[in-house]
Amino acid sequence: MHNLDFSSWHSLLATAIGLSLITLMGVGIRLLVMVAVQQRRERMNRQINERLRTLIAAYRTLGGSFTGDLAVDPRHRRELRVMGDADALTPARADEGTDTVNAAGSDRARRIRDAVEAALSDIILLGTEEHVRLADHAARELVTGQRVHTHDLVVSLRDFIRRALDLEPIPADLALPMQGPARAQASGNRGKEEGRKDGTGGNAGGAGMQAGGDTTIAGDSHLDDPGNTSRH
């Protein structure tokens, strides 16, 4: 303030310009700092949201069922095929429908196992230390061919997600049932159900098959008619 000169218009104008430049520089630096902090905060929020989204999807996959078989079957189709061949060598078979039932069950178990393995991979990538340890234990059991229960990992994920979303913890007096992996649905069955809802797929296919069948029958009768050949 001692260097400010207000004795003339020129000095006053120079002083005003200097103060304006200093103010603009201060405001510019402050804006740059605020933008950098805001961008960093937005990046962290995106990372947190993506992490929570992935862990919530893993929680739904690992703990989406309360009833039925809540264990993950680690066997692959080749192992089931070897077991099926061994059963085929036995003299007595229950009935012919057991092959279809076993095939459907093995396909569902395969889809559940693949979904669980993908969820465990995501948890190892984005989970906490406790999550990673539980996921590693489950993955090692799958590798060794043991049936795996994911309830402990599901409970740990549930508590972490509720804390991250600022939700109240689960009341201690509640005895929640054991949770297991969600039962996946086949894409073919889903397509059939959508076709039934539309009401067009089956009718259109039936009409096309009927029209094609009539055309084929008419052509065959024309070729098999000896009278038509004699006229030509």
Side-chain angles (χ1 to χ4, degrees):
M1 296 295 293
H2 297 285
N3 296 327
L4 298 179
D5 187 5
F6 299 100
S7 59
S8 63
W9 288 102
H10 295 287
S11 59
L12 181 61
L13 182 61
T15 301
I17 293 174
L19 290 175
S20 300
L21 290 177
I22 294 174
T23 304
L24 288 176
M25 290 178 60
V27 172
I29 294 173
R30 182 178 180 182
L31 288 177
L32 289 176
V33 172
M34 291 178 61
V35 169
V37 172
Q38 183 68 22
Q39 290 179 350
R40 181 180 180 183
R41 186 177 301 171
E42 291 178 354
R43 184 170 61 252
M44 293 178 62
N45 289 336
R46 286 195 300 268
Q47 293 176 355
I48 294 174
N49 292 336
E50 185 65 26
R51 182 185 185 188
L52 280 177
R53 189 180 298 111
T54 303
L55 293 179
I56 289 173
Y59 170 82
R60 291 176 178 175
T61 300
L62 299 178
S65 296
F66 292 94
T67 60
D69 189 3
L70 301 181
V72 183
D73 190 354
R75 293 176 298 178
H76 289 259
R77 179 167 293 182
R78 60 178 178 270
E79 299 175 1
L80 296 175
R81 187 182 299 113
V82 172
M83 295 177 60
D85 294 340
D87 293 338
L89 297 178
T90 59
R93 297 285 293 178
D95 54 6
E96 295 180 355
T98 55
D99 295 336
T100 305
V101 174
N102 292 334
S106 63
D107 187 63
R108 171 179 288 184
R110 177 186 60 81
R111 293 196 303 271
I112 292 176
R113 186 199 67 235
D114 293 343
V116 168
E117 288 182 352
L120 292 178
S121 178
D122 292 338
I123 293 172
I124 292 175
L125 178 63
L126 298 175
T128 62
E129 181 180 357
E130 181 182 2
H131 300 156
V132 172
R133 291 184 182 278
L134 292 173
D136 175 72
H137 178 69
R140 291 182 183 277
E141 288 186 346
L142 287 175
V143 171
T144 57
Q146 302 178 11
R147 294 175 63 84
V148 179
H149 291 276
T150 59
H151 179 71
D152 294 337
L153 181 56
V154 167
V155 173
S156 179
L157 286 173
R158 182 178 62 205
D159 295 339
F160 173 79
I161 293 171
R162 293 186 67 88
R163 285 196 305 268
L165 297 177
D166 293 332
L167 299 175
E168 297 82 1
I170 298 295
D173 58 343
L174 290 182
L176 295 177
M178 186 174 182
Q179 294 178 244
R183 291 182 288 274
Q185 295 181 356
S187 58
N189 295 334
R190 189 181 302 112
K192 292 179 181 179
E193 292 177 358
E194 293 177 355
R196 294 192 187 99
K197 292 180 181 178
D198 296 338
T200 56
N203 295 332
M209 293 177 62
Q210 182 66 26
D214 294 339
T215 305
T216 305
I217 294 173
D220 293 341
S221 62
H222 175 74
L223 294 176
D224 294 337
D225 189 1
N228 293 331
T229 304
S230 62
R231 291 190 187 96
H232 292 291

